Amino acid sequence: METIVIRYGEIGLKGKNRMVFENALIRDVKERLAHLEDITLNRFHGRMYVNHNEYDYEEVTEILTNTFGIVSISPVVKCEVSMDAMFETAKVQIEELLKSNPKFTFKVECRRSNKGFHLTSPEISKHVGGYINQTFKDELSVDVHHPDIVINIEVREKVYIYVKSLPGLGGMPYKTSGKGMLLLSGGIDSPVAGFLMAKRGVQLEAVHFHSYPFTSDRAKEKVMDLARTLTKYIGEIRVHSVNLLEIQKAINEHCPSAEMTILSRRFMMAIAERIAKRRKYKCLITGENIAQVASQTMEGLTVTNARVKLPVFRPLIAYDKVDIIKVAKKINTYETSILPFEDCCTVFLPDKVVIKPELEKIEASESLLEVEDLIYRAIKEREVVILRHDD
Ligand code: ATP
Ligand code: MG
């Protein structure tokens, strides 16, 4: 069996809650690897080890580096408990690294839990460090404060050595920070907003608004594809699809056309909140971003916000678009987001938009509508699907 060691920085620092987070991460890793054969997991001195068949290496690595809460992982090379074996194993691994990096600094870190071995941890570090330094005089130098690489040595029933480190996503284990209802459009921003909150441990469910048949099936499918992409990180997601067309028609008929966007936005928030409360979700999440478009001015956001009581989290509020796009590319939603299918907001798009809406005026317009009835029907007729990563 091969072994991979998992580092989970931040969750190790949580004092009394530490066990809660560690257990959540273990549960998550187990669940995500459950379909593979012969996987075992154990915890040892604040690190986690996954034992797997050699042929599953690629898949295990892919899954672990996409699991929230994991800072980095390293494949472990095991050898006999002797200094010669440690020298040789460390040497081979350094040679491997030198193929892609001609010069670097290093240090050795040793932990000895096998007290039967005659040398202490500092002594082992010193010997291995000395040997490596001597062997790779021209390529390597020691730097104990900011080394490029760390040669980790754990003396257990065998010696575990690992030098290569693959970055993980960081963040907190999924489902350890409450539940948030994501307003998921087909755009670039909202999938990124959902990803960032999920990365902090917030469990996601999504609401999507469409204007079928004015918007197409393909536009809806695009949003489902985005949600499906998120399942790579969160396992599964429930998506509520709500038809906003009747509401938009009512606004179009009874209210000033320049208020179309802001009024529909308030309906979206109200409906999302209603669904969230039924599902016991404790906040709303949007991809809103200050000054990005006419409806996302300070005044616009204030009027939208005023429609709901649940807190609204906007993790992208201060991001520049280029930075949102960077994340979207990294998490693989970008290519789908830029597909040119119409969004429901574009259906009744007015020529003029109120840029600085006033709450009293907007509420006055809203009072011309059968708000409760419209919301009730939209929610009643929604479609719900659950998307799973392995489907
Ligand atoms: P995005 O890239 O997320 O679509 P955007 O720049 O297009 O964002 P807006 O259309 O103003 O911005 O939407 C702001 C936020 O409102 C979105 O990030 C999303 O959270 C929510 N939202 C907008 N349209 C929809 C929709 N059709 N369904 C669900 N949520 C929506
Ligand atoms: Mg949008």
Side-chain angles (χ1 to χ4, degrees), residues 182 189-199 202 204 230 285-286 315:
L182 170 67
D189 304 335
S190 44
V192 172
F195 172 85
L196 291 176
M197 292 302 282
K199 176 158 134 47
V202 176
L204 296 184
L230 289 178
I285 301 165
T286 76

Side-chain angles (χ1 to χ4, degrees), residues 183-185 187-190 207 209 265 286-287 292 296 343-344:
L183 282 85
L184 181 63
S185 72
I188 296 169
D189 304 335
S190 44
V207 188
F209 298 94
R265 214 20 78 75
T286 76
Q292 192 183 82
Q296 295 177 38
D343 186 43
C344 68

Side-chain angles (χ1 to χ4, degrees), residues 49-101:
Y49 300 82
V50 175
N51 306 302
H52 61 90
N53 282 314
E54 191 181 347
Y55 50 80
D56 286 329
Y57 174 76
E58 297 294 331
E59 192 170 354
V60 173
T61 304
E62 165 78 9
I63 291 171
L64 295 179
T65 52
N66 287 303
T67 301
F68 297 132
I70 293 179
V71 173
S72 67
I73 62 169
S74 298
V76 173
V77 180
K78 289 175 221 171
C79 68
E80 295 308 315
V81 186
S82 81
M83 288 315 298
D84 281 344
M86 289 184 225
F87 291 162
E88 180 58 24
T89 309
K91 186 180 129 200
V92 172
Q93 293 208 60
I94 295 294
E95 281 166 351
E96 194 61 36
L97 288 183
L98 282 169
K99 287 181 190 160
S100 53
N101 200 352

Side-chain angles (χ1 to χ4, degrees), residues 139-208:
E139 299 92 345
L140 268 61
S141 55
V142 176
D143 181 345
V144 290
H145 299 297
H146 305 286
D148 297 323
I149 66 132
V150 177
I151 301 175
N152 289 279
I153 300 180
E154 292 180 21
V155 184
R156 304 164 62 161
E157 76 297 342
K158 288 212 156 214
V159 177
Y160 284 31
I161 299 189
Y162 43 98
V163 296
K164 195 168 99 182
S165 168
L166 307 169
L169 294 172
M172 301 300 286
Y174 190 52
K175 297 189 188 173
T176 56
S177 310
K179 301 176 174 186
M181 189 63 69
L182 170 67
L183 282 85
L184 181 63
S185 72
I188 296 169
D189 304 335
S190 44
V192 172
F195 172 85
L196 291 176
M197 292 302 282
K199 176 158 134 47
R200 292 303 302 167
V202 176
Q203 181 176 351
L204 296 184
E205 197 160 300
V207 188
H208 168 63

